[in-house]
Amino acid sequence: MKIAKKQYMIISGAMSGTSMDGIDWVTIKIQMDYPPFQMDVLHSSSSPFPVTLKQSLLDLTNGKAIPVAGYFDIEELITDFYRESYKEHQKGLMIKSEYLACHGQTVFHAPEPISSKNPTRGSLQLLNGQRLAAETGIPVIYQFRQADLAVGGQGAPLVPKSDELLFAGVKPCAILNLGGIANVTLLADNHPTLGFDCGPGNIILDYVANRFFSVPFDRDGILAENGIIQESMVEKALEDKFFSKHPPKSTGRELFSEDWIENWLDSFPAEATKVDFLATAAELTAKAAAESVKKFSKGKLKKVYVSGGGTKNPYLMERLRQAFGPAISVSDTSEVGVSSTFKEAISFAVLGFLRALSLPGNIPSVTGARKPVRLGVIAEP
């Protein structure tokens, strides 16, 4: 008797990124035979973090000392929120997922030795995957970054592997994600895939909006569009050595911290206004992304597809188009069938799919790893 070959996998992906605004869930159906890679989104949902949990995460990321018990409490709260948000997400599904591919919440990312006296390098994502698997009854794939770090990689960015599959039909192109940190994948026909962090995405914009206007973000860029870009301050920020580094490179709140932002804001001309801060921060995000993409892209780049929260800011998107110039089209990933809102959650679902099949999920030319490796630990219920 022949056993029918499995035709597809149902897998849910979850992402809570550097912006620390909540968890995005997506459940997708992936055809087992590829190429061509085929997937369908069955359901997507977002669950914002409670204010107290978000503040605890920000305190931890910004270096506030807490006892071990406090750290443990935060991880358990994160795990509780993953569980409850998945329960809500599952209400919109008619089918059970075979795996949950969960990124967890990054609270520390040091892809290179911290100093000559401290050779520590690593990346820490909070999530008790074993407990989440036990309480949902579904295998959980988590701790995606550690395997790449173990073989000399930076552990980031990881989404270029999924971008290779999701955007194979539209290359050559660049896939730019504007989350808290901006990261890009460069897909070319006859060159290895490249990918790296460009610099701040929404992290400075959101900090300024909260600090000076008591709102979590500048909705539709309305505040920033009333400001005057301080070009000299953009150039001053771009003097940070991160921007001139060649890939592989990745970053996070460890570099673009509240202290970094405050020091930058303090150096603005005295006549600069609060809306000028926002306009200039948007220009920094756009210029850093455009300059690095153009510098490292192979061949003639004509198309950039953008995802992430930054796509909801018309002012930022316009500055991005200006920074890339008229020869390069800038559009939303939704135009080629990949939700710009849920693209990162989709990416981790795809990485979970690869792990479930025991296939490598990193790209050494992106992370600097010595070899391709399987990403993620599988926790059985």
Side-chain angles (χ1 to χ4, degrees), residues 217-233:
F217 58 91
D218 180 13
R219 187 178 297 277
D220 297 327
I222 291 174
L223 296 168
E225 70 180 1
N226 290 307
I228 298 172
I229 296 168
Q230 305 291 312
E231 295 286 357
S232 63
M233 297 310 302

Side-chain angles (χ1 to χ4, degrees), residues 5 23 49 56 74 95 104-105 133 173 189 210 295 297 313 379:
K5 185 179 179 181
I23 299 174
F49 282 144
S56 294
I74 294 172
I95 191 169
Q105 180 60 59
C173 63
D189 286 319
N210 183 61
K295 180 177 180 179
S297 59
N313 184 328

Side-chain angles (χ1 to χ4, degrees), residues 45-216:
S45 62
S46 295
S47 296
F49 282 144
V51 174
T52 52
L53 177 57
K54 180 174 181 177
Q55 189 57 54
S56 294
L57 291 168
L58 287 171
D59 288 345
L60 189 59
T61 306
N62 287 321
K64 183 178 179 180
I66 64 170
V68 173
Y71 163 85
F72 175 79
D73 286 344
I74 294 172
E75 181 170 65
E76 294 307 295
L77 288 170
I78 281 284
T79 304
D80 289 344
F81 196 75
Y82 264 81
R83 182 196 62 230
E84 294 305 309
S85 61
Y86 178 69
K87 283 183 180 178
E88 285 299 311
H89 174 76
Q90 197 175 29
K91 290 178 181 178
L93 287 169
M94 302 297 292
I95 191 169
K96 185 178 179 180
S97 293
E98 297 170 57
Y99 294 92
L100 305 182
C102 303
H103 175 263
Q105 180 60 59
T106 298
V107 292
F108 181 74
H109 183 68
E112 297 176 348
I114 296 171
S115 68
S116 58
K117 295 181 179 179
N118 186 354
T120 300
R121 49 188 297 280
S123 189
L124 179 61
Q125 288 73 45
L126 297 186
L127 179 67
N128 186 335
Q130 297 286 345
R131 183 162 73 84
L132 184 62
E135 294 177 358
T136 59
I138 302 171
V140 171
I141 306 172
Y142 70 121
Q143 292 184 0
F144 281 89
R145 302 190 185 275
Q146 283 69 24
D148 183 80
L149 282 154
V151 292
Q154 297 218 346
L158 298 181
V159 295
K161 184 65 177 181
S162 64
D163 287 346
E164 280 189 337
L165 298 171
L166 293 169
F167 298 95
V170 295
K171 68 177 185 180
C173 63
I175 313 299
L176 176 65
N177 184 67
L178 296 177
I181 296 296
N183 59 276
V184 69
T185 301
L186 302 175
L187 300 174
D189 286 319
N190 300 307
H191 297 276
T193 297
L194 289 180
F196 50 88
D197 287 351
C198 306
N202 302 310
I203 195 169
I204 301 177
L205 286 163
D206 291 351
Y207 178 84
V208 172
N210 183 61
R211 167 90 161 73
F212 295 102
F213 298 94
S214 299
V215 292

Side-chain angles (χ1 to χ4, degrees), residues 330-351:
V330 177
S331 57
D332 193 296
T333 57
S334 299
E335 292 189 13
V336 287
V338 180
S339 166
S340 59
T341 300
F342 293 98
K343 188 256 185 183
E344 297 292 280
I346 292 170
S347 293
F348 275 89
V350 172
L351 291 175

